[in-house]
Amino acid sequence: MSQEAPLPTGPAAAFGPMARRVSVPVQIGKVAMGGMNPIVVQSMTNTDTADIDGTVEQIHALSQAGSEIVRVTVDTERAAAAVPHIKEKLLARGVDTPIVGDFHYIGHKLLEKYPGCAEALDKYRINPGNVGFKEKRDTQFSSMIEKALEYSKPVRIGVNWGSLDQDLVIRLMDENAKSANPLSAEAVTQEALVQSAVSNALRAEELGMPRDRIVLSCKVSEVQSLIRVYRELARRGDWALHLGLTEAGMGSKGIVASTAAMAVLMQEGIGDTIRVSLTPEPGGDRTKEVIVAQEMLQTMGLRAFTPLVTACPGCGRTTSTFFQELADTVQGYVRGQMPVWREQYDGVENLSLAVMGCIVNGPGESKHADIGISLPGTGEAPTAPVFIDGEKAATLRGESIAEDFKKIVDDYIANKYPRKSGAGADAAE
């Protein structure tokens, strides 16, 4: 008869919180990131920034979905001229989400010519690979850093392997070819990414930019490369780091690739802000990338954004689709109500719900959730026991199970979570 293995002792037995890499905190508008601040979710618009109303609408939607920072492209004079108006319209709606300007090629000119843009943005994103070429590179990079200093703005020095400084790559490739133990071309490219980010961060500091206004990123589109690059980037300095798999792809591929890469790094304590760069399906909702980022952080236990619904996958006992429909209804209801609940109640994002399909695992899973419901499986009596805080509290029957369960959720939240000051008792009505 086999014996159970003893529990490990010593450091390996520490099942406590993962260690967080300590980075220098950076303030971006109202949002603090880095240090021991929570990992921040951000996203980017895909509107033409010159389209003021369209961009305002999308930023508002992303903010409502939970994006804590939103980046916009500032690549033309019309876009630069539009930025102050976008900011003004957002503030008029009560949206104070920090806005980051993503500059390419002519950012130094736009910041000089459009001071309203330079002032309205909360951070500048500078790509060393396209800020300038040859002898102009340092001059134009320096010009953008000087503008950031003039307006007291932080910067993200964002390196991307699709627009990597080719002079640096060629130099490192030549040095590698002469080495007694040459590295692969992929390894040299990864080193070039890290060197570009670090050297430009140090250059910004030489120009007077304090480290607490610098964020670094090294974006690639391959999972293992991203992991290797960020591990090395984290080892070489304590700058705040923005994580993201660039060109992640569409649908499940983009979600899986982004999660596979960033989850590994965040589990190692690396990363201060993240973006899930999903390619939207035609007519798709841009806010999906925000929801994926939130769910990634929440399922890893790093942050809580909205109550999540645990639901079983279904089996031969659950040939009816009722529990699937109820799980979808409950999750949709929770997401729809969350903006209201967030304004009214402290801690409601930590609520856990379970919608289970039958009595096999249903009662057990339901007891682990704050509120759980175990639905009847195929051929079982049409009853649905409800568990609240681990105890059976009610049994629902009939056609109104979904509506009755939602009311139980509403009542639980109203009684469980403290109401925020200023939130009237009838605010939800």
Side-chain angles (χ1 to χ4, degrees):
M1 182 175 177
S2 64
Q3 295 182 349
E4 291 186 3
L7 289 172
T9 58
F15 292 102
M18 67 192 74
R20 179 87 180 271
R21 167 184 173 266
V22 180
S23 60
V24 176
V26 179
Q27 189 73 34
I28 303 163
K30 67 174 185 176
V31 175
M33 58 164 285
M36 298 310 294
N37 292 297
I39 297 171
V40 173
V41 171
Q42 63 178 278
S43 57
M44 185 176 185
T45 59
N46 60 356
T47 57
D48 178 356
T49 308
D51 174 6
I52 295 171
D53 290 337
T55 302
V56 167
E57 289 297 330
Q58 191 170 86
I59 293 173
H60 193 178
L62 291 167
S63 177
Q64 284 289 100
S67 183
E68 294 159 301
I69 298 174
V70 178
R71 182 160 47 114
V72 301
T73 299
V74 186
D75 59 341
T76 65
E77 292 198 16
R78 291 178 63 239
V83 167
H85 301 291
I86 291 169
K87 189 69 173 282
E88 182 180 9
K89 284 178 175 282
L90 287 169
L91 291 175
R93 295 186 181 197
V95 179
D96 58 355
T97 302
I99 307 300
V100 179
D102 196 13
F103 293 98
H104 308 110
Y105 305 109
I106 60 170
H108 60 293
K109 293 182 179 178
L110 296 177
L111 288 171
E112 177 66 35
K113 187 172 181 179
Y114 294 92
C117 171
E119 177 62 40
L121 292 170
D122 295 286
K123 184 174 74 172
Y124 308 157
R125 190 265 184 161
I126 306 171
N127 184 343
N130 61 32
V131 71
F133 302 99
K134 301 295 182 182
E135 66 279 356
K136 293 183 179 180
R137 181 178 290 113
D138 185 63
T139 300
Q140 293 174 186
F141 176 83
S142 299
S143 173
M144 295 189 72
I145 294 297
E146 287 163 3
K147 283 297 173 186
L149 288 168
E150 179 182 345
Y151 290 97
S152 300
K153 306 295 182 179
V155 297
R156 170 156 72 95
I157 297 174
V159 183
N160 189 303
W161 73 349
S163 53
L164 189 54
D165 178 354
Q166 290 305 299
D167 290 340
L168 174 61
V169 174
I170 291 169
R171 177 172 63 79
L172 293 181
M173 288 290 186
D174 288 344
E175 291 174 0
N176 184 61
K178 297 172 185 176
S179 172
N181 298 296
L183 302 173
S184 67
E186 180 184 28
V188 175
T189 301
Q190 291 167 5
E191 173 63 20
L193 283 160
V194 175
Q195 280 200 26
S196 179
V198 170
S199 64
N200 281 283
L202 293 174
R203 175 58 180 148
E205 290 181 13
E206 289 175 1
L207 293 166
M209 180 65 68
R211 191 163 291 199
D212 64 1
R213 287 197 214 156
I214 298 174
V215 180
L216 298 186
S217 67
C218 286
K219 296 286 193 76
V220 302
S221 57
E222 197 271 321
V223 170
Q224 295 298 337
S225 291
L226 191 86
I227 293 170
R228 286 191 288 268
V229 164
Y230 271 91
R231 281 174 174 165
E232 187 60 24
L233 187 60
R235 189 183 70 82
R236 296 195 196 180
D238 58 0
W239 293 280
L241 299 181
H242 167 82
L243 298 188
L245 192 75
T246 191
E247 293 102 28
M250 296 181 70
S252 61
K253 186 270 179 185
I255 294 170
V256 170
S258 293
T259 304
M262 287 191 277
V264 169
L265 291 166
M266 289 189 290
Q267 185 69 20
E268 296 176 3
I270 298 171
D272 301 295
T273 177
I274 65 170
R275 183 199 170 199
V276 178
S277 300
L278 295 182
T279 303
E281 297 176 0
D285 189 346
R286 189 66 165 182
T287 62
K288 184 175 183 180
E289 66 177 44
V290 179
I291 294 170
V292 171
Q294 289 180 328
E295 291 180 347
M296 187 191 308
L297 291 171
Q298 188 151 348
T299 54
M300 289 185 70
L302 296 172
R303 286 191 69 180
F305 295 95
T306 188
L308 294 182
V309 179
T310 298
C312 69
C315 65
R317 294 180 61 88
T318 58
T319 54
S320 165
T321 61
F322 184 78
F323 88 92
Q324 299 164 351
E325 293 164 356
L326 180 60
D328 184 63
T329 297
V330 172
Q331 185 71 78
Y333 179 71
V334 165
R335 283 208 169 272
Q337 287 294 105
M338 194 57 200
V340 176
W341 291 339
R342 190 184 295 117
E343 292 296 319
Q344 289 185 321
Y345 302 104
D346 278 319
V348 67
E349 65 276 3
N350 296 301
L351 176 70
S352 62
L353 304 170
V355 179
M356 306 304 295
C358 74
I359 61 170
V360 175
N361 292 321
E365 287 284 356
S366 296
K367 289 177 182 178
H368 286 299
D370 292 322
I371 311 173
I373 185 169
S374 181
L375 299 172
T378 304
E380 295 172 0
T383 60
V386 176
F387 296 82
I388 297 178
D389 293 331
E391 301 293 334
K392 185 176 177 181
T395 299
L396 305 182
R397 297 179 174 85
E399 298 297 319
S400 62
I401 287 178
E403 292 305 313
D404 292 343
F405 187 67
K406 286 193 287 187
K407 185 176 187 307
I408 288 173
V409 172
D410 286 335
D411 291 343
Y412 182 89
I413 289 171
N415 292 316
K416 172 81 172 184
Y417 296 100
R419 188 173 292 274
K420 293 181 177 180
S421 61
D426 60 349
E429 297 179 2

